[in-house]
Amino acid sequence: MAQNIVILTGAGASAESGISTFRDAGGLWERHRFEDLASPEGFARDPVLVHRFYNQRRAQLRAVSPNAGHEALAVLEQNWRGGFLLVTQNVDDLHERAGSRRLVHMHGELRKLRCAACNAVHEWQDDAGTDTACPACTRVGAMRPDIVWFGEMPYHMGEISAALAQADVFCAIGTSGVVYPAAGFAAEAKRNRRGCILYEVNPQPAAHDLFDHAIAAPATLGVPELLRQLGIK
Ligand code: APR
């Protein structure tokens, strides 16, 4: 019988592409705490600063490329016979650029802006600011990064929960497992009635023993090894 797989990726999946992870970097950007840059309160306090932070990260996407880990996940998707869902906490577009198609961005995307007035979401490649007008409702000053900030509800939770309930295999790749709800996905998959097998790819494996198989390697080596262990060439 075909098996269903759910993959969860975090900042570690993009680390070798040159995008620094959050907690490894000490959680600071230009001496600002990450919480001040990634929260509705921080945006209300200083929207210019927050736009600058995300403009810089959006611009950085042009300078980086998918790595062998992203590419291996696209190969896995193409060769997997059962249900497949890639859930990423990353806001970059490296999975798409590597060829992944069945993926959801639970924390939003750098290359999208959302209008806080009319809720329309727009693809966005360039800088944004407090003087940016919404292309839909024309309101100026209501555009924000389409990023799920601290205290906000992650996207696609219904689809993710449904996939976890049916998962036979779950893999966590490059995520520290400290930010909920994603941190609870491994346990949620383990609790389903399908005897889900759990894999982890991380150079610093989790301290708990929830995972059945830990591949202690960076994503560029660890994801190809994961494919070998799953029997995908
Ligand atoms: N390959 C695989 N894993 C790696 C690599 C690598 N080359 N380098 C580092 N890691 C691992 C680290 O050991 C760590 O466990 O990646 C993880 C990165 O952890 P975090 O920086 O906490 O990133 P993440 O788990 O994605 O954070 C979750 O927190 O701040 C929020 O919204 C933000 O989506 C983010 C969420």
Side-chain angles (χ1 to χ4, degrees):
M1 200 179 69
Q3 297 215 312
N4 302 324
I5 191 166
V6 176
I7 318 268
L8 172 69
T9 61
S14 294
E16 290 161 275
S17 292
I19 299 181
S20 60
T21 61
F22 302 101
R23 283 155 194 87
D24 297 351
L28 289 177
W29 177 76
E30 292 186 1
R31 282 174 296 142
H32 299 285
R33 289 186 319 140
F34 192 65
E35 286 74 5
D36 291 332
L37 302 162
S39 67
E41 298 77 20
F43 187 58
R45 247 192 324 267
D46 196 344
V48 173
L49 174 80
V50 173
H51 272 302
R52 200 156 59 78
F53 172 63
Y54 286 100
N55 287 343
Q56 208 177 87
R57 296 181 67 194
R58 195 176 304 113
Q60 187 193 19
L61 293 184
R62 294 191 209 112
V64 298
S65 307
N67 64 51
H70 297 108
E71 283 158 9
L73 287 176
V75 171
L76 176 60
E77 179 179 336
Q78 281 150 19
N79 290 281
W80 191 262
R81 286 155 186 255
F84 180 100
L85 184 66
L86 171 56
V87 179
T88 187
Q89 298 167 88
N90 298 341
V91 295
D92 64 56
D93 58 357
L94 296 178
H95 283 305
E96 290 91 327
R97 281 160 59 190
S100 288
R101 292 294 171 262
R102 280 173 275 166
L103 85 160
V104 290
H105 281 271
M106 64 178 290
H107 290 167
E109 295 171 61
L110 278 174
R111 286 200 157 150
K112 287 184 180 165
L113 294 189
R114 183 154 54 81
C115 176
C118 76
N119 234 14
V121 173
H122 304 277
E123 298 278 339
W124 213 267
Q125 313 288 342
D126 306 317
D127 285 356
T130 50
D131 56 352
T132 302
C134 172
C137 74
T138 71
R139 170 102 171 249
V140 174
M143 297 297 270
R144 55 163 281 181
D146 191 24
I147 302 285
V148 176
W149 285 330
F150 289 106
E152 297 183 323
M153 180 66 81
Y155 294 155
H156 309 290
M157 287 306 294
E159 184 180 354
I160 295 167
S161 284
L164 291 171
Q166 296 298 323
D168 302 293
V169 182
F170 173 86
C171 314
I173 300 168
T175 178
S176 57
V178 299
V179 175
Y180 281 83
F185 289 173
E188 199 174 328
K190 196 74 191 170
R191 275 197 308 271
N192 76 18
R193 289 159 187 267
R194 300 178 68 100
C196 188
I197 306 292
L198 269 49
Y199 290 81
E200 177 183 35
V201 176
N202 197 312
Q204 294 171 282
H208 56 70
D209 57 4
L210 190 60
F211 291 100
D212 300 290
H213 304 282
I215 300 173
T220 52
L221 301 174
V223 183
E225 171 58 23
L226 172 71
L227 265 62
R228 273 189 289 279
Q229 294 194 14
L230 293 173
I232 306 284
K233 305 230 164 37

